[in-house]
């Protein structure tokens, strides 16, 4: 096996933690996969907060991004994927020399949360990582997945009065309505209010 | 005081003088929407240098601008903002629709993007994805002709 794709030592050291995290998901665990790039844990939304809490206490201090996928017509339909990484801090880096090795990689972890239906709801992570705020708003905007406990769950990219969730696979590509019509000129736009 | 024999002066109509002034000092608005804006920015660089035509001063306030270059795709969420900016520009004012997206929606035939002429009166369309800076400068020259002739119709019939 060429050295470049051999699992790096940090990842091997992670195995017990991944096992503990899977245990923290309890009955909501779907599967644990050792994917090529990082370990991933698939679970139901009810188990998310327990797993994230344990991961945070074991060094996973940064939420990289939250993604959404619509697997329609497969069930369960919606997947929300979280990527966590453990940046070394003064408290966790017991051996700073190891961090300076050229092929050191901060460990990463992927959580895939599956839910279904019109009222798919996932607990928010905004109280743990403020950066989750806009990521969750974007997923709500595009997929219609709700985040329970989110302080300000409004649309982010689409107009506030937009109908539907455009990144769902059953959403018509051209949308449900024409907001502006050819030749509309001035009349097609709602009157401008000075602010 | 009588003018001496060698003192230069010009006789003109006030209308022509105004058109000459307007067309030789076009003030575009600082506004970039998408990838086309990169090409738009380069027209004021030393390489293309629209200062030659008096159109290099991009104003950051719509109240000081008389040309809006719609440089890129317009999303449905952005369209009312553009309309408001357009209405804040003092008359007389002109609009150039730059690129495939602003002119027709381009490759974005979807729920999010609308052509600029669905909510703005466009004077010049520039084709391309993105149009080269030369094409945009050509549009500027065409706009100057349009201003000097007083209307687009006169330019088109003169060119025919
Ligand atoms: S016309 Fe092409 S370059 Fe211009 S905004 Fe559209 S995609 Fe970008």
């Amino acid at each position: 096996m060429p050295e470049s794709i051999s699992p790096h030592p940090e990842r091997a050291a992670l195995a017990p933690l991944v096992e503990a995290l899977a245990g923290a998901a309890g009955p909501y665990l779907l599967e644990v996969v050792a994917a090529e790039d990082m370990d991933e844990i698939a679970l139901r939304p009810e188990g998310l907060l327990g797993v994230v809490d344990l991961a945070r206490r074991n060094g996973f201090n940064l939420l990289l991004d939250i993604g959404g996928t619509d697997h329609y017509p497969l069930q369960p339909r919606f997947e929300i994927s979280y990527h966590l990484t453990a940046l070394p801090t003064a408290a966790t880096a017991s051996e700073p020399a190891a961090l300076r090795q050229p092929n050191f990689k901060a460990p990463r972890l992927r959580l895939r949360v599956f839910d279904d239906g019109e009222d798919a709801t996932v607990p928010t992570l905004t109280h743990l990582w403020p950066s989750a705020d806009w990521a969750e708003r974007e997923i709500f905007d595009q997929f219609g997945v709700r985040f329970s406990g989110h302080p300000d769950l409004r649309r982010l990219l689409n107009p506030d009065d937009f109908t539907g969730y455009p990144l769902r696979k059953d959403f018509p590509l051209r949308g449900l309505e024409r907001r502006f019509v050819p030749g509309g000129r001035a009349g097609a736009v709602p009157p401008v209010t000075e602010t | 005081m009588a003018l001496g024999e060698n003192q230069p002066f010009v006789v003109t109509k006030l209308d022509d003088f105004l058109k000459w002034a307007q067309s030789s000092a076009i003030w575009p608005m600082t506004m970039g929407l998408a990838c086309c804006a990169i090409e738009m920015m380069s027209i004021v660089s030393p390489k293309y240098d629209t200062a030659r035509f008096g159109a290099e001063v991009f104003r950051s306030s719509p109240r000081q601008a008389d040309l809006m270059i719609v440089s890129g795709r317009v999303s449905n969420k952005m369209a009312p903002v553009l309309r408001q900016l357009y209405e804040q520009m003092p008359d007389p004012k002109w609009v150039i629709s730059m690129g495939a997206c602003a002119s027709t929606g381009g490759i974005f035939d979807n729920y999010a993007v609308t052509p600029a002429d669905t909510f703005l009166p466009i004077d010049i369309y520039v084709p391309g994805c993105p149009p080269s800076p030369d094409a945009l400068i050509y549009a500027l020259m065409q706009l100057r002709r349009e201003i000097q002739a007083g209307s687009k119709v006169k330019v088109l019939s003169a060119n025919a």
Side-chain angles (χ1 to χ4, degrees):
Chain A
M1 189 192 266
E3 199 175 349
S4 58
I5 60 165
S6 66
H8 50 85
E10 293 81 8
R11 180 152 171 200
L14 211 58
L17 177 59
V18 172
E19 211 165 293
L21 289 171
Y28 305 114
L29 179 73
L30 294 176
E31 62 173 338
V32 180
V33 181
E36 190 164 321
D37 52 345
M38 65 186 87
D39 294 291
E40 60 184 46
I41 299 175
L43 69 167
R44 285 277 175 187
E46 292 87 342
L48 178 66
L49 284 182
V51 174
V52 167
D53 188 49
L54 186 61
R56 258 175 79 94
R57 281 191 276 116
N58 284 279
F60 281 95
N61 48 11
L62 180 65
L63 172 67
L64 291 173
D65 200 5
I66 311 179
T69 316
D70 182 5
H71 291 287
Y72 180 83
L74 297 183
Q75 303 283 345
R77 179 171 172 180
F78 296 114
E79 170 189 341
I80 314 297
S81 49
Y82 301 78
H83 286 86
L84 306 181
T85 192
L87 289 185
T89 64
T92 59
S94 50
E95 273 190 81
L99 304 181
R100 285 198 295 274
Q101 284 173 5
N103 49 5
F104 171 81
K105 283 188 194 145
R108 290 192 173 187
L109 179 69
R110 176 161 49 234
L111 305 177
R112 307 172 69 190
V113 177
F114 288 89
D115 202 3
D116 215 353
E118 279 300 307
D119 54 351
T121 307
V122 180
T124 181
L125 296 188
T126 46
H127 56 292
L128 302 173
W129 287 288
S131 63
D133 185 349
W134 279 24
E136 290 178 352
R137 277 179 65 186
E138 182 178 355
I139 292 169
F140 164 68
D141 186 0
Q142 302 285 46
F143 293 98
V145 175
R146 283 169 179 72
F147 289 87
S148 57
H150 191 288
D152 181 27
L153 197 62
R154 284 178 294 133
R155 286 187 183 274
L156 183 68
L157 301 177
N158 289 300
D160 291 335
D161 57 347
F162 193 83
T163 324
Y165 301 103
L167 289 197
R168 286 189 179 182
K169 291 250 171 73
D170 50 2
F171 184 87
L173 186 60
R174 288 176 171 161
L176 299 167
E177 55 185 358
R178 276 266 166 262
R179 299 176 79 88
F180 304 100
V181 293
R185 300 285 159 103
V189 178
V192 172
T193 47
E194 290 281 338
T195 47
Chain B
M1 193 179 78
L3 286 167
E5 201 174 302
N6 293 321
Q7 274 176 301
F9 66 97
V10 176
V11 181
T12 181
K13 287 187 287 183
L14 184 60
D15 268 10
D16 290 349
F17 177 70
L18 274 180
K19 286 173 191 164
W20 170 79
Q22 284 166 355
S23 65
S24 350
I26 295 172
W27 294 42
M29 186 162 70
T30 309
M31 185 194 76
L33 285 178
C35 10
C36 273
I38 306 296
E39 301 297 307
M40 178 188 72
M41 287 175 230
S42 71
I43 67 166
V44 290
S45 68
K47 186 165 176 186
Y48 295 101
D49 193 15
T50 47
R52 293 175 292 162
F53 318 114
E56 83 284 19
V57 190
F58 274 79
R59 302 311 297 188
S60 305
S61 162
R63 300 192 194 281
Q64 298 173 353
D66 53 13
L67 171 63
M68 173 187 261
I69 303 177
V70 185
S71 52
R73 67 196 84 91
V74 188
S75 68
N76 281 322
K77 190 165 182 173
M78 198 65 189
V81 180
L82 247 62
R83 179 75 203 182
Q84 175 154 9
L85 287 172
Y86 175 77
E87 286 177 7
Q88 285 174 340
M89 290 160 59
D91 277 321
K93 52 192 168 187
W94 299 276
V95 183
I96 290 180
S97 162
M98 179 182 183
C101 292
S103 304
T104 67
I107 56 171
F108 300 100
D109 184 11
N110 63 15
Y111 66 95
V113 171
T114 187
D117 59 4
T118 54
F119 61 96
L120 286 177
I122 307 289
D123 292 282
I124 313 263
Y125 295 86
V126 192
C129 176
S132 65
D134 322 41
L136 188 58
I137 290 175
Y138 178 76
L140 266 177
M141 307 315 295
Q142 197 69 19
L143 182 65
R144 283 162 60 103
R145 276 177 223 128
E146 182 183 319
I147 295 172
Q148 272 159 8
S151 82
K152 186 155 31 182
V153 179
K154 286 187 191 146
V155 180
L156 292 177
S157 55
N159 283 356

